Amino acid sequence: GPGTALDGKPKYDLTQLEEAYFDRMRERIIAAGNRGMYVAIVLFNGWSVSKEKGMFAENNPWRGHPFNAANNINGINGDLNNDNSGEEVHQLANPSVTAVQEAYVRKVIDTVNDLDNVLYEISNESDGTATEWQYHMIEVIRAYQNSKPQQHPIGMTVEWPNGNNSELFASSADWISPNDYFDPPPADGSKVIINDTDHLWGIGGDREWVWKSFTRGVNPIFMDGYDGAGYGVGGAGFIFDDPQWVSLRLNMGYTRSYAERMNLVAMIPRGDLCSTGYCLANAVSTGAEYLVYLPQGGTVQVNLSAVSGQLSVEWFNPATGIAQPGNPVMGGETHNFTPPFGGDAVLYLYQLIQDVTPPIISQIVASPLDTMAWITWATDEPATSQVVYGLDPTPIISTTKMTDLSTSHQVQLTDLTPATTYYYRVYSEDSQGNRAVSELLTFTTLSVEDINRAFLPYVGRQSQTANQSVTLCPNH
Protein backbone atom coordinates (compact mmCIF):
# COMPACT_ATOMS: atom_id res chain seq x y z
CA GLY A 1 0.00 0.00 0.00
CA PRO A 2 -1.23 2.62 0.24
CA GLY A 3 -4.14 1.94 -2.05
CA THR A 4 -5.51 -1.29 -3.47
CA ALA A 5 -4.54 -3.14 -6.62
CA LEU A 6 -6.87 -4.69 -9.20
CA ASP A 7 -7.37 -7.73 -6.97
CA GLY A 8 -8.52 -5.58 -4.05
CA LYS A 9 -5.35 -6.21 -2.03
CA PRO A 10 -2.64 -3.63 -1.23
CA LYS A 11 -0.58 -2.31 -4.11
CA TYR A 12 3.08 -3.26 -4.53
CA ASP A 13 5.92 -0.99 -3.50
CA LEU A 14 8.52 -1.93 -6.11
CA THR A 15 11.36 -0.47 -4.06
CA GLN A 16 10.89 -3.11 -1.35
CA LEU A 17 11.92 -6.74 -1.71
CA GLU A 18 10.29 -9.26 0.62
CA GLU A 19 13.00 -11.02 2.62
CA ALA A 20 10.78 -14.02 3.40
CA TYR A 21 10.61 -14.85 -0.31
CA PHE A 22 14.39 -14.99 -0.63
CA ASP A 23 14.77 -16.92 2.64
CA ARG A 24 12.36 -19.53 1.30
CA MET A 25 14.23 -19.71 -2.00
CA ARG A 26 17.50 -20.33 -0.19
CA GLU A 27 16.02 -22.97 2.13
CA ARG A 28 14.56 -24.92 -0.78
CA ILE A 29 17.78 -24.84 -2.80
CA ILE A 30 19.74 -26.09 0.21
CA ALA A 31 17.19 -28.88 0.70
CA ALA A 32 17.51 -29.84 -2.97
CA GLY A 33 21.30 -29.81 -2.74
CA ASN A 34 21.15 -32.15 0.22
CA ARG A 35 19.35 -34.58 -2.09
CA GLY A 36 21.85 -34.27 -4.93
CA MET A 37 19.74 -31.93 -7.07
CA TYR A 38 20.63 -28.82 -9.03
CA VAL A 39 18.08 -26.00 -9.12
CA ALA A 40 17.50 -23.72 -12.10
CA ILE A 41 16.20 -20.43 -10.77
CA VAL A 42 13.77 -19.09 -13.38
CA LEU A 43 14.11 -15.34 -12.82
CA PHE A 44 11.25 -14.20 -15.05
CA ASN A 45 8.28 -15.78 -16.81
CA GLY A 46 6.75 -14.93 -20.18
CA TRP A 47 3.48 -16.51 -19.07
CA SER A 48 3.06 -13.85 -16.38
CA VAL A 49 2.97 -10.82 -18.68
CA SER A 50 1.03 -11.74 -21.82
CA LYS A 51 -2.71 -11.68 -22.32
CA GLU A 52 -2.20 -13.91 -25.37
CA LYS A 53 -0.94 -16.71 -23.13
CA GLY A 54 -3.65 -16.06 -20.58
CA MET A 55 -6.18 -17.71 -22.87
CA PHE A 56 -4.96 -21.09 -21.63
CA ALA A 57 -6.04 -20.20 -18.12
CA GLU A 58 -9.12 -18.22 -19.23
CA ASN A 59 -7.53 -15.23 -17.59
CA ASN A 60 -5.16 -12.35 -18.33
CA PRO A 61 -2.13 -12.66 -16.04
CA TRP A 62 -1.13 -9.06 -16.70
CA ARG A 63 -3.97 -7.91 -14.44
CA GLY A 64 -2.08 -9.34 -11.46
CA HIS A 65 1.41 -8.21 -12.42
CA PRO A 66 3.43 -5.77 -10.25
CA PHE A 67 4.39 -3.68 -13.31
CA ASN A 68 0.76 -3.07 -14.17
CA ALA A 69 0.36 0.61 -13.37
CA ALA A 70 -2.82 -0.13 -11.38
CA ASN A 71 -0.91 -2.49 -9.08
CA ASN A 72 2.04 -0.43 -7.79
CA ILE A 73 2.54 2.82 -5.87
CA ASN A 74 5.65 3.81 -7.80
CA GLY A 75 4.04 5.14 -10.98
CA ILE A 76 5.68 2.45 -13.10
CA ASN A 77 3.76 1.39 -16.18
CA GLY A 78 4.94 -1.69 -18.00
CA ASP A 79 2.23 -1.54 -20.66
CA LEU A 80 3.53 1.32 -22.77
CA ASN A 81 1.22 0.66 -25.73
CA ASN A 82 -1.86 0.34 -23.47
CA ASP A 83 -3.01 -2.97 -24.94
CA ASN A 84 -3.67 -4.53 -21.51
CA SER A 85 -0.65 -6.81 -21.87
CA GLY A 86 2.89 -6.51 -20.58
CA GLU A 87 5.28 -7.86 -23.20
CA GLU A 88 7.15 -4.53 -23.00
CA VAL A 89 8.59 -5.41 -19.58
CA HIS A 90 10.71 -8.02 -21.38
CA GLN A 91 11.86 -5.56 -24.05
CA LEU A 92 14.01 -2.92 -22.26
CA ALA A 93 11.22 -0.53 -23.17
CA ASN A 94 10.95 1.21 -19.78
CA PRO A 95 14.19 2.00 -17.88
CA SER A 96 12.28 2.14 -14.59
CA VAL A 97 11.08 -1.43 -15.09
CA THR A 98 14.57 -2.60 -16.02
CA ALA A 99 16.06 -0.99 -12.90
CA VAL A 100 13.63 -2.87 -10.65
CA GLN A 101 14.35 -6.13 -12.48
CA GLU A 102 18.10 -5.64 -12.09
CA ALA A 103 17.73 -4.95 -8.35
CA TYR A 104 15.75 -8.17 -7.99
CA VAL A 105 18.36 -10.19 -9.89
CA ARG A 106 21.17 -8.83 -7.70
CA LYS A 107 19.19 -9.78 -4.59
CA VAL A 108 18.76 -13.34 -5.89
CA ILE A 109 22.50 -13.60 -6.51
CA ASP A 110 23.26 -12.26 -3.03
CA THR A 111 20.91 -14.87 -1.59
CA VAL A 112 22.28 -18.00 -3.27
CA ASN A 113 25.78 -17.25 -4.58
CA ASP A 114 27.54 -19.38 -1.96
CA LEU A 115 25.47 -22.47 -2.85
CA ASP A 116 26.96 -24.99 -5.28
CA ASN A 117 23.81 -26.36 -6.90
CA VAL A 118 22.50 -23.27 -8.71
CA LEU A 119 21.79 -22.47 -12.36
CA TYR A 120 20.09 -19.33 -13.64
CA GLU A 121 17.46 -19.20 -16.38
CA ILE A 122 16.56 -15.71 -17.56
CA SER A 123 12.95 -16.36 -18.50
CA ASN A 124 10.56 -19.16 -19.30
CA GLU A 125 9.04 -18.64 -22.76
CA SER A 126 9.00 -14.90 -23.11
CA ASP A 127 7.85 -14.12 -26.66
CA GLY A 128 10.10 -13.51 -29.65
CA THR A 129 10.48 -9.80 -28.92
CA ALA A 130 12.42 -10.43 -25.69
CA THR A 131 15.81 -11.37 -27.16
CA GLU A 132 17.73 -8.16 -26.46
CA TRP A 133 16.27 -7.95 -22.94
CA GLN A 134 17.42 -11.52 -22.24
CA TYR A 135 20.89 -10.70 -23.59
CA HIS A 136 20.99 -7.70 -21.26
CA MET A 137 19.99 -9.74 -18.22
CA ILE A 138 22.66 -12.35 -18.97
CA GLU A 139 25.28 -9.61 -18.83
CA VAL A 140 23.78 -8.13 -15.65
CA ILE A 141 24.16 -11.50 -13.93
CA ARG A 142 27.64 -12.10 -15.28
CA ALA A 143 28.91 -8.67 -14.25
CA TYR A 144 27.47 -8.90 -10.75
CA GLN A 145 28.70 -12.46 -10.23
CA ASN A 146 32.22 -11.33 -11.09
CA SER A 147 32.39 -9.69 -7.66
CA LYS A 148 31.28 -12.93 -5.96
CA PRO A 149 33.05 -16.21 -5.07
CA GLN A 150 30.80 -18.43 -7.25
CA GLN A 151 30.16 -18.07 -10.99
CA HIS A 152 26.93 -19.97 -11.63
CA PRO A 153 26.00 -20.98 -15.21
CA ILE A 154 23.50 -18.70 -16.94
CA GLY A 155 20.89 -20.11 -19.29
CA MET A 156 18.66 -18.79 -22.05
CA THR A 157 15.71 -20.89 -23.17
CA VAL A 158 13.85 -20.60 -26.44
CA GLU A 159 11.22 -17.89 -26.73
CA TRP A 160 7.58 -18.66 -27.49
CA PRO A 161 6.01 -17.83 -29.77
CA ASN A 162 8.41 -16.88 -32.57
CA GLY A 163 11.49 -18.29 -30.85
CA ASN A 164 14.64 -18.75 -32.90
CA ASN A 165 17.36 -21.18 -31.91
CA SER A 166 20.01 -19.12 -33.70
CA GLU A 167 19.46 -16.38 -31.12
CA LEU A 168 20.27 -18.85 -28.34
CA PHE A 169 23.55 -19.86 -29.98
CA ALA A 170 24.41 -16.20 -30.63
CA SER A 171 23.92 -15.32 -26.97
CA SER A 172 26.63 -15.31 -24.30
CA ALA A 173 24.61 -17.79 -22.22
CA ASP A 174 26.50 -20.77 -20.81
CA TRP A 175 23.60 -23.15 -21.47
CA ILE A 176 20.57 -23.06 -23.72
CA SER A 177 17.34 -24.96 -24.26
CA PRO A 178 16.16 -24.91 -27.91
CA ASN A 179 12.99 -25.89 -29.74
CA ASP A 180 12.59 -28.34 -32.64
CA TYR A 181 15.19 -30.73 -31.18
CA PHE A 182 13.00 -33.79 -31.71
CA ASP A 183 15.93 -35.38 -33.55
CA PRO A 184 18.76 -33.10 -32.42
CA PRO A 185 21.82 -32.34 -34.52
CA PRO A 186 25.17 -33.24 -32.92
CA ALA A 187 26.25 -30.74 -30.28
CA ASP A 188 29.41 -28.83 -31.19
CA GLY A 189 30.46 -27.98 -27.64
CA SER A 190 29.85 -24.23 -27.95
CA LYS A 191 26.95 -24.43 -25.48
CA VAL A 192 25.62 -26.87 -22.95
CA ILE A 193 22.31 -27.89 -24.53
CA ILE A 194 19.39 -28.94 -22.34
CA ASN A 195 16.80 -30.64 -24.52
CA ASP A 196 13.53 -30.06 -22.67
CA THR A 197 10.34 -31.83 -23.76
CA ASP A 198 8.39 -28.74 -22.70
CA HIS A 199 9.97 -26.77 -25.55
CA LEU A 200 9.32 -29.53 -28.05
CA TRP A 201 5.89 -31.03 -27.36
CA GLY A 202 4.73 -29.49 -24.11
CA ILE A 203 3.83 -32.98 -22.96
CA GLY A 204 5.62 -35.55 -25.09
CA GLY A 205 8.71 -37.60 -25.75
CA ASP A 206 9.67 -41.27 -25.69
CA ARG A 207 12.73 -43.37 -25.01
CA GLU A 208 13.92 -43.06 -28.61
CA TRP A 209 14.12 -39.27 -28.11
CA VAL A 210 16.10 -39.82 -24.90
CA TRP A 211 18.78 -41.95 -26.58
CA LYS A 212 18.95 -39.80 -29.71
CA SER A 213 19.53 -36.74 -27.52
CA PHE A 214 22.13 -38.43 -25.34
CA THR A 215 24.16 -39.89 -28.21
CA ARG A 216 24.11 -36.52 -29.99
CA GLY A 217 25.73 -34.85 -26.97
CA VAL A 218 22.75 -32.96 -25.55
CA ASN A 219 21.17 -33.36 -22.12
CA PRO A 220 17.52 -34.57 -22.22
CA ILE A 221 15.10 -33.51 -19.50
CA PHE A 222 11.47 -34.58 -19.25
CA MET A 223 8.62 -32.29 -18.21
CA ASP A 224 6.71 -35.12 -16.59
CA GLY A 225 2.98 -34.60 -16.83
CA TYR A 226 2.59 -37.02 -13.91
CA ASP A 227 -1.19 -37.22 -13.38
CA GLY A 228 -2.03 -34.11 -15.42
CA ALA A 229 -3.25 -32.05 -12.47
CA GLY A 230 -0.40 -29.56 -12.69
CA TYR A 231 -0.66 -28.85 -16.41
CA GLY A 232 -3.02 -26.01 -17.16
CA VAL A 233 -6.58 -25.80 -15.88
CA GLY A 234 -8.24 -29.17 -15.45
CA GLY A 235 -5.18 -31.25 -16.32
CA ALA A 236 -4.17 -32.60 -19.70
CA GLY A 237 -5.62 -36.09 -19.64
CA PHE A 238 -2.20 -37.42 -18.68
CA ILE A 239 -2.03 -41.07 -17.54
CA PHE A 240 0.83 -41.55 -15.12
CA ASP A 241 1.52 -45.21 -15.82
CA ASP A 242 1.15 -45.05 -19.60
CA PRO A 243 3.89 -47.41 -20.92
CA GLN A 244 5.36 -44.58 -23.05
CA TRP A 245 6.04 -42.41 -19.99
CA VAL A 246 7.18 -45.31 -17.82
CA SER A 247 9.74 -46.34 -20.45
CA LEU A 248 10.87 -42.75 -20.96
CA ARG A 249 11.49 -42.29 -17.23
CA LEU A 250 13.42 -45.55 -16.98
CA ASN A 251 15.60 -44.72 -19.96
CA MET A 252 16.45 -41.32 -18.51
CA GLY A 253 17.95 -43.36 -15.69
CA TYR A 254 19.67 -45.78 -18.06
CA THR A 255 21.43 -42.95 -19.90
CA ARG A 256 22.56 -41.54 -16.58
CA SER A 257 24.05 -44.92 -15.67
CA TYR A 258 26.10 -44.96 -18.86
CA ALA A 259 27.13 -41.34 -18.31
CA GLU A 260 28.54 -42.34 -14.93
CA ARG A 261 30.31 -45.44 -16.30
CA MET A 262 31.97 -43.74 -19.25
CA ASN A 263 34.76 -41.19 -19.34
CA LEU A 264 32.05 -38.75 -20.36
CA VAL A 265 34.27 -35.67 -20.49
CA ALA A 266 36.20 -37.29 -23.35
CA MET A 267 33.13 -38.44 -25.30
CA ILE A 268 31.96 -36.35 -28.25
CA PRO A 269 29.19 -36.89 -30.84
CA ARG A 270 30.68 -38.84 -33.74
CA GLY A 271 27.78 -39.85 -35.92
CA ASP A 272 30.27 -40.17 -38.77
CA LEU A 273 31.70 -43.29 -37.11
CA CYS A 274 28.48 -45.36 -37.19
CA SER A 275 25.87 -46.08 -39.80
CA THR A 276 22.92 -45.00 -37.62
CA GLY A 277 24.43 -41.55 -36.98
CA TYR A 278 23.88 -41.77 -33.21
CA CYS A 279 27.23 -42.26 -31.53
CA LEU A 280 29.17 -40.83 -28.61
CA ALA A 281 32.81 -41.74 -28.94
CA ASN A 282 36.26 -41.35 -27.50
CA ALA A 283 38.04 -42.63 -30.59
CA VAL A 284 41.61 -43.02 -29.32
CA SER A 285 44.24 -45.71 -29.62
CA THR A 286 44.04 -46.81 -25.98
CA GLY A 287 41.09 -46.42 -23.63
CA ALA A 288 38.54 -46.01 -26.43
CA GLU A 289 34.78 -45.99 -25.81
CA TYR A 290 31.81 -45.94 -28.20
CA LEU A 291 28.13 -45.68 -27.26
CA VAL A 292 25.90 -46.30 -30.29
CA TYR A 293 22.11 -46.15 -30.58
CA LEU A 294 20.14 -48.23 -33.09
CA PRO A 295 16.63 -46.71 -33.22
CA GLN A 296 15.31 -49.43 -35.52
CA GLY A 297 17.52 -52.27 -34.35
CA GLY A 298 19.04 -54.29 -37.22
CA THR A 299 22.74 -54.08 -38.00
CA VAL A 300 25.02 -51.12 -37.35
CA GLN A 301 28.46 -50.52 -38.85
CA VAL A 302 31.05 -48.90 -36.56
CA ASN A 303 34.42 -47.56 -37.65
CA LEU A 304 37.02 -48.61 -35.07
CA SER A 305 40.07 -47.75 -37.15
CA ALA A 306 41.46 -45.39 -34.48
CA VAL A 307 41.66 -48.14 -31.86
CA SER A 308 44.57 -50.45 -31.10
CA GLY A 309 43.84 -53.74 -29.41
CA GLN A 310 40.67 -55.44 -28.26
CA LEU A 311 37.35 -53.87 -27.26
CA SER A 312 34.72 -55.40 -25.02
CA VAL A 313 31.16 -55.49 -26.37
CA GLU A 314 27.96 -54.89 -24.42
CA TRP A 315 24.40 -54.86 -25.74
CA PHE A 316 21.72 -53.01 -23.81
CA ASN A 317 18.00 -53.44 -24.38
CA PRO A 318 16.18 -50.13 -23.67
CA ALA A 319 12.83 -51.95 -23.57
CA THR A 320 13.82 -54.28 -20.73
CA GLY A 321 16.79 -52.60 -19.06
CA ILE A 322 18.88 -55.77 -19.50
CA ALA A 323 22.52 -55.66 -20.58
CA GLN A 324 24.36 -58.67 -21.99
CA PRO A 325 27.92 -59.18 -23.23
CA GLY A 326 28.86 -59.77 -26.84
CA ASN A 327 31.98 -61.24 -28.36
CA PRO A 328 35.03 -58.95 -28.09
CA VAL A 329 36.33 -57.35 -31.31
CA MET A 330 39.67 -56.00 -32.45
CA GLY A 331 40.16 -52.36 -33.30
CA GLY A 332 41.86 -51.02 -36.40
CA GLU A 333 38.98 -51.65 -38.81
CA THR A 334 35.24 -51.30 -39.38
CA HIS A 335 32.90 -53.91 -37.87
CA ASN A 336 29.24 -54.80 -38.27
CA PHE A 337 27.21 -55.43 -35.11
CA THR A 338 23.75 -57.00 -34.79
CA PRO A 339 21.91 -57.01 -31.43
CA PRO A 340 20.79 -60.35 -29.99
CA PHE A 341 17.23 -59.04 -29.52
CA GLY A 342 14.62 -57.18 -31.55
CA GLY A 343 13.66 -53.52 -31.41
CA ASP A 344 15.83 -50.54 -30.64
CA ALA A 345 19.20 -51.27 -29.06
CA VAL A 346 22.26 -49.67 -27.49
CA LEU A 347 25.79 -50.87 -28.26
CA TYR A 348 28.62 -50.09 -25.82
CA LEU A 349 32.19 -50.76 -26.94
CA TYR A 350 34.99 -50.13 -24.50
CA GLN A 351 38.58 -50.92 -23.62
CA LEU A 352 39.55 -51.90 -20.11
CA ILE A 353 42.66 -50.07 -18.94
CA GLN A 354 44.40 -51.68 -16.01
CA ASP A 355 45.17 -49.26 -13.21
CA VAL A 356 48.83 -49.65 -12.32
CA THR A 357 49.25 -46.33 -10.51
CA PRO A 358 49.42 -46.41 -6.71
CA PRO A 359 47.65 -43.79 -4.61
CA ILE A 360 49.49 -40.57 -3.82
CA ILE A 361 49.93 -40.13 -0.07
CA SER A 362 49.97 -36.60 1.39
CA GLN A 363 49.25 -34.53 4.51
CA ILE A 364 50.68 -37.04 7.00
CA VAL A 365 50.27 -35.83 10.57
CA ALA A 366 51.20 -37.61 13.83
CA SER A 367 49.36 -36.48 16.97
CA PRO A 368 50.97 -38.24 19.97
CA LEU A 369 50.01 -38.20 23.64
CA ASP A 370 51.92 -40.30 26.18
CA THR A 371 50.72 -43.85 25.55
CA MET A 372 48.86 -43.40 22.27
CA ALA A 373 49.03 -41.49 19.01
CA TRP A 374 46.84 -40.77 16.00
CA ILE A 375 48.32 -40.92 12.51
CA THR A 376 46.29 -39.17 9.79
CA TRP A 377 46.90 -38.73 6.06
CA ALA A 378 45.17 -38.26 2.73
CA THR A 379 45.27 -40.08 -0.61
CA ASP A 380 44.26 -38.90 -4.07
CA GLU A 381 42.00 -41.93 -4.59
CA PRO A 382 40.05 -44.26 -2.28
CA ALA A 383 42.45 -46.66 -0.56
CA THR A 384 43.04 -48.76 2.54
CA SER A 385 44.71 -47.56 5.77
CA GLN A 386 47.60 -49.16 7.67
CA VAL A 387 50.58 -48.03 9.77
CA VAL A 388 53.79 -49.93 10.50
CA TYR A 389 55.79 -48.56 13.43
CA GLY A 390 58.55 -49.44 15.91
CA LEU A 391 61.45 -48.21 18.02
CA ASP A 392 64.11 -48.28 15.29
CA PRO A 393 64.36 -47.35 11.60
CA THR A 394 63.15 -50.79 10.55
CA PRO A 395 59.67 -50.76 12.13
CA ILE A 396 57.92 -54.12 12.33
CA ILE A 397 54.76 -53.56 14.41
CA SER A 398 51.78 -53.38 12.07
CA THR A 399 48.24 -52.19 12.66
CA THR A 400 45.38 -54.17 11.17
CA LYS A 401 44.72 -53.07 7.60
CA MET A 402 41.51 -51.00 7.42
CA THR A 403 39.96 -52.25 4.18
CA ASP A 404 37.25 -49.58 3.86
CA LEU A 405 38.40 -47.49 0.90
CA SER A 406 38.71 -43.79 1.70
CA THR A 407 40.71 -40.71 0.75
CA SER A 408 40.88 -39.57 4.39
CA HIS A 409 42.74 -41.89 6.76
CA GLN A 410 43.14 -42.12 10.55
CA VAL A 411 44.83 -44.91 12.53
CA GLN A 412 45.23 -45.02 16.31
CA LEU A 413 48.37 -46.50 17.91
CA THR A 414 48.06 -47.69 21.52
CA ASP A 415 50.18 -49.12 24.35
CA LEU A 416 53.05 -46.76 23.57
CA THR A 417 55.80 -45.78 25.99
CA PRO A 418 55.85 -42.14 27.21
CA ALA A 419 58.71 -39.86 26.17
CA THR A 420 59.82 -42.22 23.42
CA THR A 421 60.64 -41.70 19.76
CA TYR A 422 58.88 -44.01 17.30
CA TYR A 423 59.58 -44.60 13.63
CA TYR A 424 56.68 -45.22 11.25
CA ARG A 425 55.43 -45.49 7.69
CA VAL A 426 51.87 -45.32 6.37
CA TYR A 427 50.52 -47.68 3.73
CA SER A 428 47.53 -47.28 1.36
CA GLU A 429 46.32 -49.69 -1.32
CA ASP A 430 43.75 -48.89 -4.00
CA SER A 431 41.02 -51.18 -5.33
CA GLN A 432 43.38 -52.59 -7.98
CA GLY A 433 45.97 -53.63 -5.43
CA ASN A 434 48.42 -50.80 -6.15
CA ARG A 435 50.16 -49.99 -2.86
CA ALA A 436 51.77 -46.74 -1.81
CA VAL A 437 54.23 -46.42 1.09
CA SER A 438 55.28 -43.18 2.71
CA GLU A 439 58.81 -42.17 3.59
CA LEU A 440 60.13 -43.10 7.06
CA LEU A 441 58.87 -40.61 9.64
CA THR A 442 59.09 -40.17 13.41
CA PHE A 443 57.10 -38.85 16.33
CA THR A 444 57.87 -38.63 20.06
CA THR A 445 55.30 -39.42 22.70
CA LEU A 446 54.75 -36.97 25.55
CA SER A 447 56.18 -37.53 29.00
CA VAL A 448 54.06 -38.00 32.11
CA GLU A 449 55.17 -34.53 33.22
CA ASP A 450 53.94 -33.05 29.95
CA ILE A 451 50.59 -34.72 30.42
CA ASN A 452 50.30 -33.56 34.02
CA ARG A 453 50.96 -29.97 32.99
CA ALA A 454 48.34 -30.23 30.27
CA PHE A 455 45.57 -32.01 32.15
CA LEU A 456 45.96 -31.97 35.93
CA PRO A 457 45.53 -28.22 36.51
CA TYR A 458 42.04 -28.68 35.14
CA VAL A 459 40.94 -32.02 36.54
CA GLY A 460 42.77 -31.84 39.92
CA ARG A 461 43.46 -35.55 39.98
CA GLN A 462 46.40 -37.83 40.55
CA SER A 463 48.90 -38.56 37.82
CA GLN A 464 47.47 -40.72 35.10
CA THR A 465 48.06 -41.47 31.46
CA ALA A 466 46.75 -39.04 28.88
CA ASN A 467 44.16 -41.44 27.52
CA GLN A 468 42.78 -41.90 31.06
CA SER A 469 42.61 -38.11 31.45
CA VAL A 470 40.85 -37.66 28.13
CA THR A 471 38.35 -40.36 29.02
CA LEU A 472 37.52 -38.72 32.36
CA CYS A 473 37.45 -35.17 30.98
CA PRO A 474 33.83 -34.05 30.34
CA ASN A 475 32.86 -33.35 26.70
CA HIS A 476 36.24 -34.59 25.53
Side-chain angles (χ1 to χ4, degrees), residues 56 172 468:
F56 290 99
S172 64
Q468 290 173 325

Short mmCIF file of all heavy atoms in Angstrom, two decimals, residues 56 172 468:
data_model
loop_
_atom_site.label_atom_id
_atom_site.label_comp_id
_atom_site.label_asym_id
_atom_site.label_seq_id
_atom_site.Cartn_x
_atom_site.Cartn_y
_atom_site.Cartn_z
N PHE A 56 -4.99 -19.71 -22.10
CA PHE A 56 -4.96 -21.09 -21.63
C PHE A 56 -5.56 -21.22 -20.25
O PHE A 56 -6.04 -22.27 -19.86
CB PHE A 56 -3.52 -21.62 -21.63
CG PHE A 56 -2.97 -21.81 -23.02
CD1 PHE A 56 -2.15 -20.86 -23.59
CD2 PHE A 56 -3.31 -22.92 -23.76
CE1 PHE A 56 -1.65 -21.03 -24.86
CE2 PHE A 56 -2.81 -23.11 -25.04
CZ PHE A 56 -1.98 -22.15 -25.60
N SER A 172 25.47 -14.98 -25.14
CA SER A 172 26.63 -15.31 -24.30
C SER A 172 26.24 -16.25 -23.17
O SER A 172 27.02 -16.44 -22.23
CB SER A 172 27.25 -14.03 -23.73
OG SER A 172 26.33 -13.38 -22.86
N GLN A 468 43.67 -41.86 29.89
CA GLN A 468 42.78 -41.90 31.06
C GLN A 468 42.21 -40.50 31.31
O GLN A 468 41.02 -40.34 31.61
CB GLN A 468 43.54 -42.40 32.29
CG GLN A 468 43.90 -43.89 32.22
CD GLN A 468 44.80 -44.29 33.38
OE1 GLN A 468 45.64 -43.52 33.83
NE2 GLN A 468 44.60 -45.51 33.86
#
